[in-house]
Amino acid sequence: MKKEESDLKIMEEMERKELQDRYIRFDWAIKRLLRQKANFDVLDGFLTVMLNEEIKIVEILESEGNQESADDKFNRVDIKALNSKGEIILVEIQNTRELHYLERILYGVAKTITEHISLGEGYQKIKKVYSISILYFDIGIGADYFYHGQNHFIGVHTGDQLRVNVRERDVLVPHLPAEIFPEYILIRVNEFDKAALTPLDEWIEYLKDGTIRPDTTAPGLKEAREKLKYYSMSPQERLIYDRHLDAIMIQNDVIDTAKWEGRIEGLAEGKAEGLAEGEAKGKAEGKAEGLAEGMRQVAFKMKDTGVDIATIAKCTGLSEETIRSL
């Protein structure tokens, strides 16, 4: 009995050590943990690295777009934050394919802009919006794993960037449109396949496989090592979290299976269509060859009875050269 208890304790200790270096997925953390002010330092670090400037979150905003729903484990996970500069940052994690994803994030940004300006307020009240999308599906063709887009107005003939005048404290100040218009970042997590050498790479590595280096200095990741540990969750929380991971895996398997079955069905339909087309083509070609041979026989008889070649060609549709060779 003592040996069994000893073996059980050894197994529990091994499991504990294994779980110590296991970290909660970012989609789960951003939905449930990073909304808490005590954990803003993790979110601050993430956004600082993504936007390449120091970011301080002062408030998590709520709207229709970032409320929990029954299917959130299959679809996107949103967080909508206000930073110390009064700008709004949207973060979405997309686990499954969405055909019109770019259109949807454009709609989401536009909706956010209109949500935060009241009717009758001046346009200067419009807040700059950053949209960060963490994608676990292949959105298209591209060699990089990190894409950044913003608005620039470039002179067609001069190549210079337009600067627009904006009123600040009753003084006109020139700004680039990129300082006003929304910015978009698309992170293609599955395309990351290199050694993590920069803070950005370290964050992408964590997003992809949950790895956080013990000696990391990347903003937010050191804090994540302490606050996003799987082992720190209660047994009940771990059970819910594990079910979340299972649901994602099942959903991805369903999608992959549907794609595989679609390819098989497409190949089968293509083969059947090919056979049908081949049979029809064969019949058509046989019929055409039969008609041509018939015309040659008619032309031969007409020629044999003394009809001139020009008349035979007109009647049969054969070339004069073909008729002469008969």
Side-chain angles (χ1 to χ4, degrees):
M1 186 68 178
K2 288 183 178 181
K3 185 178 183 306
E4 290 178 359
E5 290 178 358
S6 176
D7 290 344
L8 182 59
K9 286 182 179 180
I10 291 171
M11 289 176 64
E12 288 176 349
E13 180 63 18
M14 288 174 63
E15 183 182 11
R16 188 186 68 80
K17 287 182 178 179
E18 181 184 342
L19 295 179
Q20 267 187 333
D21 290 325
R22 181 179 172 188
Y23 298 94
I24 301 166
R25 272 177 60 109
F26 198 60
D27 59 350
W28 183 271
I30 209 170
K31 196 69 172 177
R32 291 162 175 80
L33 302 177
L34 301 187
R35 292 172 177 272
Q36 302 167 13
K37 202 171 185 67
N39 296 330
F40 278 6
D41 50 2
V42 178
L43 192 57
D44 288 343
F46 168 75
L47 296 174
T48 294
V49 171
M50 296 299 120
L51 300 177
N52 199 29
E53 64 173 290
E54 187 172 355
I55 301 293
K56 291 291 181 185
I57 296 303
V58 297
E59 184 183 356
I60 299 299
L61 306 171
E62 299 294 348
S63 69
E64 293 177 9
N66 63 339
Q67 296 292 325
E68 289 191 44
S69 62
D71 65 348
D72 70 339
K73 60 183 175 294
F74 299 142
N75 201 358
R76 65 185 183 272
V77 179
D78 298 334
I79 198 165
K80 183 178 180 183
L82 183 71
N83 71 12
S84 56
K85 294 165 65 177
E87 300 165 328
I88 297 173
I89 302 174
L90 304 175
V91 181
E92 295 187 0
I93 299 179
Q94 186 79 7
N95 287 309
T96 55
R97 181 180 302 277
E98 188 169 327
L99 288 176
H100 302 292
Y101 187 75
L102 292 183
E103 291 86 345
R104 188 173 65 69
I105 61 173
L106 175 62
Y107 173 81
V109 167
K111 191 168 186 290
T112 297
I113 291 171
T114 56
E115 278 180 347
H116 292 276
I117 184 169
S118 301
L119 189 65
E121 284 188 317
Y123 291 124
Q124 71 273 15
K125 296 290 185 181
I126 289 177
K127 297 182 183 297
K128 181 177 174 74
V129 177
Y130 296 88
S131 173
I132 302 175
S133 299
I134 303 169
L135 308 177
Y136 288 89
F137 68 93
D138 186 7
I139 194 171
I141 300 170
D144 210 329
Y145 57 89
F146 190 92
Y147 287 86
H148 178 213
Q150 60 186 140
N151 286 77
H152 298 282
F153 290 87
I154 309 297
V156 174
H157 302 98
T158 61
D160 69 313
Q161 288 196 46
L162 175 69
R163 299 178 72 88
V164 295
N165 291 325
V166 178
R167 184 179 295 278
E168 288 185 2
R169 300 185 182 91
D170 295 325
V171 177
L172 289 179
V173 179
H175 279 295
L176 290 171
E179 298 175 68
I180 302 166
F181 280 78
E183 293 186 33
Y184 300 88
I185 288 176
L186 300 179
I187 304 169
R188 302 168 71 210
V189 178
N190 295 335
E191 299 302 312
F192 180 76
D193 60 354
K194 55 184 279 190
L197 301 177
T198 66
L200 175 61
D201 290 346
E202 287 190 49
W203 263 103
I204 307 298
E205 186 176 59
Y206 161 61
L207 294 176
K208 184 172 184 177
D209 58 25
T211 301
I212 304 179
R213 298 179 181 180
D215 60 346
T216 183
T217 58
L221 281 183
K222 183 178 179 181
E223 293 79 6
R225 276 184 61 84
E226 299 302 318
K227 297 179 177 181
L228 302 185
K229 285 185 175 180
Y230 176 84
Y231 195 68
S232 298
M233 292 193 292
S234 69
Q236 184 178 3
E237 288 174 328
R238 287 204 295 269
L239 179 62
I240 297 171
Y241 174 70
D242 290 340
R243 285 176 177 169
H244 167 73
L245 296 186
D246 288 342
I248 290 174
M249 290 178 65
I250 291 168
Q251 180 72 2
N252 288 335
D253 283 345
V254 168
I255 292 171
D256 289 342
T257 300
K259 286 160 62 178
W260 178 80
E261 288 178 347
R263 283 196 294 269
I264 296 299
E265 187 175 337
L267 286 171
E269 288 180 358
K271 187 176 180 181
E273 288 176 5
L275 288 171
E277 288 177 5
E279 185 177 352
K281 185 179 179 182
K283 287 180 179 179
E285 289 177 351
K287 186 175 181 181
E289 287 179 5
L291 287 171
E293 180 60 29
M295 287 297 101
R296 283 195 291 270
Q297 293 292 334
V298 170
F300 177 79
K301 289 181 179 179
M302 290 176 73
K303 182 182 176 184
D304 193 47
T305 57
V307 179
D308 64 276
I309 290 177
T311 302
I312 297 171
K314 187 177 180 180
C315 293
T316 62
L318 297 176
S319 67
E320 292 187 6
E321 185 180 352
T322 299
I323 296 168
R324 287 192 186 97
S325 67
L326 295 175

